[in-house]
């Protein structure tokens, strides 16, 4: 048997065990006749082979009814043959069985989820900031709807650029460096915006922020989707924390909107971003994703195809494009409601600046829906429940559009947030289920990064139309976007699973 310094990953059944032992070098056996299973002995639950301890790591091997896994190790002095129990891997997709999930693995999973959830909190904070501040920005710079909407288009261009760059940067620099670099760029962006510079510099700051958020959003989603344990719950928690950030930001931004130094809100954003950067560097230490994930997940999701053209493989999947388009429209709908509902209630329903709290109500509902409706998603089925939630949201948006009641509109908007909340994590769970494992990480990065551009495209379109027809166009646009989501989701659910490709 020619030993190599690598993991062979081959299962050896008990019936075939004696054949494999006969291939071992003679010096590794105490007896030339120690090649029969009957020559072994079982003690304390371990199967002893009677091999020379100098060549056996642990002097024993674990036995089970399903078979044995053989791995060959090598050091500078001699070659060592070791056997490892493979009963720790279940047969349903290679996910570790409960007995194999150690306390350390669970602790690390929780740590990674907490840190990346904080990064998504910062993304949500950014998305929830602009709505309450929009009227003050228009007043301060003396600009109309279409000009102030250029803040969204600046973010749009940089979001798309970040999504495209993410795949290349992931291979070249790795997860840790890309995340830390994006977080550091966000600090620079808020430093530019905080003193309320001339409007072109405000747009530059938002462009930098968009690129930074695209990288962090894509990397965080891809990392969490690659963790094999509790995938749906982890994704729900991750995006619930995003909603928590988007819920918290309007509460703070509304207070600053009523003060002369309204732009100092971005000093709070700056402080949050500094904490995010420090924590990312401290936990992930600028290392690649495969350093932290289980071997089977990391190797299949990242290193396996580094030498191949990832762009070509990812872009050849129709399902990736359907999912990216769905997320584009979904995020656009979400941020358009959160960004323009305050202006709508002030101008159309006669509300005051305190209407900014309605934006918090919407994002608060988003957070609640991503956690409280997990059991509904499971009972109805993730693919079917999306239709149910979207139709319900359309009905409530019709109430906001047609019923001229400020309080009723505020309540309806909050419930819309509850219904829309689960859609994003459900979409990424479906992606993890259907897409080939070899391109899963890059695909989710592209879906999340490209989809985040919707947070700029659709709010800009709304502002452009509002400058000509008034902000009352908001509700018809929202209803149309929700209807488009149903069409795109039908394309997703009818797509053939791509795992077999």
């Amino acid at each position: 048997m020619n030993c190599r310094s690598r993991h062979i990953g081959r299962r050896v059944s008990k019936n075939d065990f004696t054949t494999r032992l006969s291939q071992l070098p003679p010096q590794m056996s105490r007896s030339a006749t120690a090649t029969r299973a009957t020559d072994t002995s079982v003690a304390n639950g371990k199967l002893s082979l009677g091999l020379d301890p100098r060549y056996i790591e642990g002097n024993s091997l674990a036995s089970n009814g399903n078979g044995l896994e053989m791995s060959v190790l090598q050091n500078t002095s001699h070659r060592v043959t070791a056997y490892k129990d493979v009963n720790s891997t279940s047969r349903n997709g290679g996910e570790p069985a409960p007995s194999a999930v150690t306390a350390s693995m669970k602790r690390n999973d929780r740590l990674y989820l907490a840190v990346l959830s904080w990064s998504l909190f910062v993304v949500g904070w950014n998305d929830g900031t602009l709505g309450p501040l929009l009227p003050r920005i228009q007043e301060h710079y003396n600009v109309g709807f279409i000009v102030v909407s250029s803040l969204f288009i600046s973010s749009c261009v940089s979001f798309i650029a970040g999504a495209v760059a993410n795949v290349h940067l992931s291979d070249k620099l790795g997860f840790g460096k890309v995340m830390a670099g994006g977080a550091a760029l966000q600090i620079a962006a808020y430093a530019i915006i905080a003193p309320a510079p001339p409007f072109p510099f405000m747009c530059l700051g938002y462009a930098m922020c968009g690129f930074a958020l695209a990288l962090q959003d894509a990397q965080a989603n891809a990392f969490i989707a690659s963790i094999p344990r509790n995938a749906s719950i982890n994704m729900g928690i991750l995006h619930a924390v995003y909603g928590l950030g988007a819920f918290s930001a309007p509460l703070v931004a509304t207070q600053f909107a009523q003060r002369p130094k309204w732009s100092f809100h971005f000093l709070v954003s700056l402080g949050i971003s500094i904490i995010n950067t420090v924590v990312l560097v401290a936990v992930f230490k600028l290392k690649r994703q495969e350093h932290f994930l289980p071997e089977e997940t990391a190797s299949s999701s990242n290193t396996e195809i580094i030498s191949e053209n990832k762009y070509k493989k990812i872009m050849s999947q129709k399902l990736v494009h359907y999912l990216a388009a769905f997320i584009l429209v979904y995020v656009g709908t979400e941020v358009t409601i959160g960004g323009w509902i305050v202006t709508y209630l002030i101008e159309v329903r006669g509300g005051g600046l305190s209407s900014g709290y309605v934006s918090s109500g919407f994002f608060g509902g988003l957070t609640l829906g991503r956690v409280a409706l997990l059991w509904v998603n499971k009972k109805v089925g993730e693919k079917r429940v999306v239709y149910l939630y979207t139709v319900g949201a359309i009905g409530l948006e019709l109430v906001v559009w047609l019923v001229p009641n400020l309080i009723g509109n505020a309540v309806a908007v909050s419930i819309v947030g509850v219904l829309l909340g689960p859609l994003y994590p459900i979409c990424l769970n479906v992606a993890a289920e259907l897409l080939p494992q070899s391109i899963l990480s890059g695909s989710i990065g592209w879906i999340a990064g490209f989809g985040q551009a919707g947070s700029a495209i659709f709010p800009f379109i709304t502002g452009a139309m509002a400058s000509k027809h008034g902000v009352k166009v908001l509700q018809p646009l929202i209803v149309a976007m929700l209807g488009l989501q149903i069409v795109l989701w039908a394309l997703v659910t009818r797509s053939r699973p791509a795992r077999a490709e």
Side-chain angles (χ1 to χ4, degrees):
M1 179 179 180
N2 185 20
C3 297
R4 300 290 184 194
S5 178
R6 63 182 176 87
H7 182 76
I8 293 177
R10 178 182 299 172
R11 289 193 176 187
V12 185
S13 65
K14 284 185 174 182
N15 294 333
D16 193 40
F17 187 69
T18 57
T19 302
R20 301 299 173 88
L21 281 180
S22 66
Q23 298 173 354
L24 291 173
Q27 68 270 24
M28 295 182 64
S29 175
R30 291 178 177 173
S31 171
T33 61
T35 60
R36 295 175 57 86
T38 54
D39 294 330
T40 62
S41 61
V42 178
N44 298 325
K46 295 181 178 180
L47 185 63
S48 175
L49 298 178
L51 299 179
D52 193 326
R54 293 175 299 174
Y55 299 94
I56 300 300
E57 184 174 273
N59 301 326
S60 62
L61 63 89
S63 175
N64 58 71
N66 294 325
L68 303 165
E69 182 179 13
M70 182 164 57
S71 62
V72 181
L73 309 174
Q74 184 179 29
N75 57 29
T76 56
S77 60
H78 60 277
R79 291 168 178 169
V80 182
T81 301
Y83 293 89
K84 182 171 61 175
D85 184 7
V86 297
N87 201 37
S88 60
T89 302
S90 67
R91 300 184 183 275
N92 54 353
E95 182 175 335
S99 60
V101 180
T102 65
S104 176
M105 293 168 67
K106 292 181 179 179
R107 185 168 59 252
N108 287 338
D109 286 353
R110 288 193 292 267
L111 175 62
Y112 303 150
L113 179 61
V115 173
L116 295 177
S117 292
W118 177 255
S119 294
L120 266 289
F121 178 92
V122 177
V123 176
W125 177 277
N126 180 82
D127 288 349
T129 288
L130 197 54
L133 294 178
L134 213 52
R136 285 305 309 274
I137 293 174
Q138 287 182 270
E139 178 186 341
H140 178 82
Y141 291 104
N142 193 25
V143 295
F145 289 127
I146 194 166
V147 175
V148 79
S149 294
S150 60
L151 293 174
F152 294 112
I153 206 64
S154 298
S155 296
C156 171
V157 173
S158 59
F159 268 124
I160 295 176
V164 172
N166 175 68
V167 178
H168 174 71
L169 291 175
S170 294
D171 284 345
K172 188 174 182 62
L173 301 178
F175 166 80
K177 290 180 181 178
V178 174
M179 281 294 290
L185 183 61
Q186 194 173 1
I187 292 174
Y190 287 139
I192 293 173
I193 298 172
F199 193 73
F201 287 95
M202 175 75 79
C203 292
L204 173 63
Y206 263 89
M208 293 169 60
C209 196
F211 190 88
L213 292 174
L215 294 179
Q216 293 178 79
D217 188 57
Q219 291 288 329
N221 278 289
F223 190 103
I224 294 300
S226 297
I227 296 177
R229 292 165 290 278
N230 304 317
S232 297
I233 294 175
N234 288 344
M235 196 63 71
I237 292 173
L238 182 72
H239 289 281
V241 176
Y242 164 90
L244 184 61
F247 166 76
S248 304
L251 297 177
V252 178
T254 299
Q255 294 299 315
F256 278 98
Q258 301 175 45
R259 301 177 184 277
K261 298 293 185 180
W262 57 270
S263 65
F264 281 13
H265 168 82
F266 293 99
L267 291 178
V268 180
S269 303
L270 178 66
I272 292 173
S273 298
I274 291 174
I275 296 172
N276 181 42
T277 305
V278 171
V279 172
L280 285 171
V281 173
V283 172
F284 294 110
K285 299 179 174 62
L286 307 180
K287 295 181 179 179
R288 290 183 173 271
Q289 179 171 313
E290 53 264 32
H291 179 82
F292 304 99
L293 293 180
E295 180 183 343
E296 67 275 8
T297 302
S299 61
S300 61
S301 64
N302 283 327
T303 60
E304 181 181 292
I305 58 172
I306 281 180
S307 61
E308 300 181 21
N309 188 335
K310 277 191 174 182
Y311 287 106
K312 183 177 179 180
K313 293 193 70 173
I314 291 172
M315 296 306 166
S316 67
Q317 293 282 343
K318 288 184 179 180
L319 182 61
V320 169
H321 300 300
Y322 294 150
L323 290 168
F326 178 83
I327 290 295
L328 181 80
V329 178
Y330 168 81
V331 173
T333 305
E334 172 189 297
V335 178
T336 298
I337 294 174
W340 283 105
I341 192 62
V342 177
T343 305
Y344 177 85
L345 293 177
I346 291 174
E347 302 234 347
V348 178
R349 299 294 183 234
L353 287 176
S354 59
S355 298
Y357 294 118
V358 176
S359 182
S360 277
F362 170 73
F363 285 114
L366 205 76
T367 305
L368 180 63
R370 287 174 175 173
V371 177
L373 296 180
L374 281 172
W375 69 275
V376 179
N377 304 342
K378 185 176 180 179
K379 188 173 184 64
V380 177
E382 288 188 330
K383 293 180 182 179
R384 290 190 297 272
V385 82
V386 170
Y387 296 111
L388 179 64
Y389 292 151
T390 308
V391 170
I394 289 175
L396 289 167
E397 283 298 330
L398 289 173
V399 171
V400 178
W401 180 3
L402 302 175
V403 178
N405 183 282
L406 181 62
I407 296 177
N409 290 173
V411 173
V413 167
S414 298
I415 300 175
V416 168
V418 174
L419 295 177
L420 293 184
L423 302 193
Y424 195 109
I426 285 175
C427 182
L428 295 188
N429 288 337
V430 170
E433 174 187 346
L434 298 181
L435 289 172
Q437 186 72 21
S438 61
I439 61 168
L440 177 60
S441 179
S443 297
I444 287 184
W446 168 254
I447 292 167
F450 180 79
Q452 197 67 22
S455 66
I457 294 175
F458 291 99
F460 173 77
I461 292 173
T462 302
M465 295 187 67
S467 67
K468 185 175 182 180
H469 303 288
V471 76
K472 63 180 181 293
V473 302
L474 174 65
Q475 296 310 317
L477 282 174
I478 294 297
V479 171
M481 285 188 278
L482 290 171
L484 181 57
Q485 282 181 218
I486 292 178
V487 174
L488 292 171
W489 190 249
L491 293 175
V492 170
T493 55
R494 292 176 184 178
S495 297
R496 293 180 61 185
R499 280 198 181 278
E501 296 182 7

